[in-house]
Amino acid sequence: MKPIQVGLLGIGTVGSGVFNVLQRNQEEIRRRAGRGIEIAMVADLDVERARSIVGEGVQVVNDARAVIANPDIDIVIELIGGYGIAKALVLEAIAAGKHVVTANKALLAVHGTEIFSAASAKGVMVAFEAAVAGGIPIIKALREGLTANRIQWIAGIINGTTNFILSEMRSKGLDFDVVLKEAQRLGYAEADPTFDIEGVDAAHKATIMSAIAFGIPVQFDKAYVEGITQLSAQDIKYAEQLGYRIKLLGITKRADKGVELRVHPSLVPSKRLIANVEGAMNAVVVQGDAVGTTLYYGKGAGSEPTASAVIADLVDIARLHTADPEHRVPHLAFQPNTLTDAMDALPVLPMSEVVTSYYLRLRVADQAGVLAKVTGILAGAGISIDAVLQREADEVGGEDSTQTDLIILTHDTREGTMDGAIAQMQALPTVLAPITRIRKEELN
Ligand code: HSE
């Protein structure tokens, strides 16, 4: 059979990885896919650089629309990123009857409903393994491998930049700003790291996993998003003294009244495997009712790890594109006509309805009765305390200090209840600084 013809939009780090891995492993990939997979055309604004990567045998253009317009191209790979031109090009490729492979989590988390419905109407596939956790085949695992399960929750370290920063803060005792600069110098963090450090990138990925796990449309606008910019080295140290590590987790969970969808720093017991995922690595834990807990670990970014996921999608399309569209694996695992109905039974919950446990750090005056007042407020709100740690005043503020840190771990409570208790504690004259609140996930 003639090799399937692929057009590549954008040949940066990931695109060149796709080209190189396809070249290097072409014979094995052909045997797996049942036919060859050939990059026939590349569009990139930097035509010369693109040409230097792909050589003379591939047509290189600076206009992505020329790839979409080429009737010989079967699959378009979108590696441009962002919501702007990438969205227009993906929709145009679908309208032209091309299958699409994309690594663009932002695009799918925000515009997935429109894109998937356009693809279903046209009978083409939109594959996106590379959009979540790079080289880890988590989309395949959730959509196919775990299809027998009622998924209960997913918790993932799905942003390598922030995991690298947190690992460095913990192991070297450094503050966020210092480590961020180092991460940028080493090329782990982008020059503009906003999406990573503010949790937006992780929330895009969590949104996609949430839709696949629970059979609901992608709803990024309902995700709670909190990054790591406010974390202090001190909290990482106190957490460690209590037997926890702080990780930026993307969490989605089935609750009584709906689905939790949230990204924020979380205390995780140090003994959990996921707490020991360090540096730029990614890991996702999935809890299903039949299988129990499963863990997926690997590189969440980088040229060839991400290419590995993109090429897996190309192979899937090469194998399946002749199948009846109604009987292919659905984009979000559940049949599309069931997604919006499920939203009524499984709405994404507001953060005030989320139930979790907490780490609180209060900078307080070192006086009699302070602890009693604080614990009295928690008791009054029905919040049960799990552990309390009080530092010596001189350890916190130096010799003759009259202030100290009070660290409290709580049992599960509703976020709205905790908001009220924190407001009351903050109003005490003996509480001297804004209270730090970090959510705690036991993941058991
Ligand atoms: N910027 C992401 C990360 C990789 O740091 O993990 C691409 O999503």
Side-chain angles (χ1 to χ4, degrees):
M1 195 187 268
K2 165 175 171 288
I4 201 158
Q5 301 292 294
V6 179
L8 186 55
L9 310 186
I11 186 155
T13 309
V14 177
S16 54
V18 171
F19 186 79
N20 292 334
V21 175
L22 267 179
Q23 292 284 96
R24 192 170 72 232
N25 297 341
Q26 64 177 295
E27 184 49 24
E28 264 184 88
I29 291 169
R30 191 189 59 73
R31 284 174 56 212
R32 289 189 170 124
R35 63 191 289 194
I37 296 176
E38 201 170 278
I39 295 197
M41 198 169 177
V42 172
D44 199 285
L45 292 177
D46 191 340
V47 171
E48 254 172 53
R49 202 181 48 86
R51 165 75 56 220
S52 73
I53 296 166
V54 300
E56 292 303 321
V58 177
Q59 194 184 346
V60 178
V61 293
N62 67 1
D63 175 13
R65 292 193 163 95
V67 175
I68 294 170
N70 183 340
D72 294 334
I73 296 293
D74 304 300
I75 306 175
V76 169
I77 307 179
E78 182 272 307
L79 296 175
I80 295 167
Y83 319 96
I85 184 71
K87 181 186 176 199
L89 293 173
V90 164
L91 287 170
E92 284 171 32
I94 291 168
K98 316 289 185 197
H99 301 290
V100 173
V101 174
T102 179
N104 191 336
K105 58 232 90 180
L107 177 63
L108 296 180
V110 176
H111 300 292
T113 303
E114 181 183 350
I115 288 167
F116 297 140
S117 107
S120 297
K122 199 73 193 174
V124 296
M125 297 163 78
V126 174
F128 52 93
E129 184 61 71
V132 181
I136 305 174
I138 188 65
I139 299 299
K140 192 83 160 178
L142 287 171
R143 200 162 54 179
E144 298 179 51
L146 299 176
T147 198
N149 288 263
R150 186 174 160 88
I151 304 285
Q152 285 145 339
W153 53 261
I154 300 173
I157 294 172
I158 44 182
N159 183 268
T161 305
T162 44
N163 202 52
F164 173 81
I165 293 173
L166 293 178
S167 299
E168 292 287 292
M169 286 175 74
R170 186 184 70 79
S171 62
K172 300 188 177 153
L174 297 171
D175 277 321
F176 171 78
D177 296 334
V178 177
V179 181
L180 174 60
K181 286 208 180 77
E182 180 65 359
Q184 283 172 315
R185 196 183 63 77
L186 292 171
Y188 281 108
E190 311 266 346
D192 178 2
T194 315
F195 267 27
D196 292 319
I197 62 179
E198 297 294 356
V200 177
D201 175 74
H204 287 146
K205 296 165 183 168
T207 297
I208 295 171
M209 291 198 289
S210 179
I212 295 175
F214 301 117
I216 53 177
V218 284
Q219 297 165 77
F220 173 72
D221 55 331
K222 297 192 184 144
Y224 173 81
V225 189
E226 181 184 318
I228 63 166
T229 53
Q230 301 305 317
L231 272 183
S232 72
Q234 203 176 23
D235 289 314
I236 292 175
K237 190 179 78 188
Y238 290 150
E240 191 143 47
Q241 289 170 3
L242 288 157
Y244 292 86
R245 293 209 177 151
I246 298 182
K247 295 290 180 189
L248 183 73
L249 292 186
I251 297 172
T252 187
K253 192 184 273 188
R254 192 188 290 275
D256 290 344
K257 295 184 194 151
V259 166
E260 297 179 5
L261 174 55
R262 50 195 170 98
V263 169
H264 49 69
S266 311
L267 269 75
V268 181
S270 309
K271 63 185 178 207
R272 299 263 177 269
L273 280 174
I274 195 169
N276 295 281
V277 171
E278 298 286 29
M281 300 303 281
N282 280 200
V284 183
V285 183
V286 183
Q287 171 86 20
D289 66 339
V291 72
T293 306
T294 55
L295 170 70
Y296 309 83
Y297 170 83
K299 290 191 175 144
S303 177
E304 294 206 356
T306 312
S308 164
V310 169
I311 295 169
D313 281 342
L314 294 176
V315 171
D316 264 358
I317 294 174
R319 285 173 177 152
L320 293 175
H321 87 128
T322 48
D324 165 7
E326 300 292 316
H327 292 94
R328 292 187 197 136
V329 181
H331 292 110
L332 294 176
F334 291 73
Q335 294 301 331
N337 58 352
T338 67
L339 296 181
T340 27
D341 293 349
M343 277 171 82
D344 296 334
L346 285 174
V348 175
L349 298 171
M351 198 57 192
S352 58
E353 290 296 321
V354 162
V355 174
T356 187
S357 54
Y358 294 86
Y359 161 104
L360 304 174
R361 176 169 56 82
L362 293 80
R363 176 60 58 91
V364 295
D366 194 11
Q367 293 170 9
V370 173
L371 181 59
K373 283 216 178 71
V374 166
T375 54
I377 289 172
L378 290 171
I383 298 169
S384 170
I385 293 172
D386 180 26
V388 177
L389 177 70
Q390 184 175 336
R391 307 314 304 162
E392 300 280 350
D394 57 357
E395 203 185 302
V396 173
E399 218 178 321
D400 301 328
S401 171
T402 55
Q403 306 181 1
T404 192
D405 278 342
L406 195 56
I407 295 108
I408 300 174
L409 299 185
T410 76
H411 289 296
D412 278 355
T413 188
R414 224 175 41 88
E415 176 102 357
T417 308
M418 181 54 84
D419 290 341
I422 287 179
Q424 281 185 59
M425 291 187 286
Q426 195 68 73
L428 293 172
T430 45
V431 173
L432 306 173
I435 296 171
T436 297
R437 165 225 322 244
I438 306 176
R439 296 162 192 94
K440 179 160 81 67
E441 303 295 329
E442 292 297 327
L443 304 182
N444 53 17

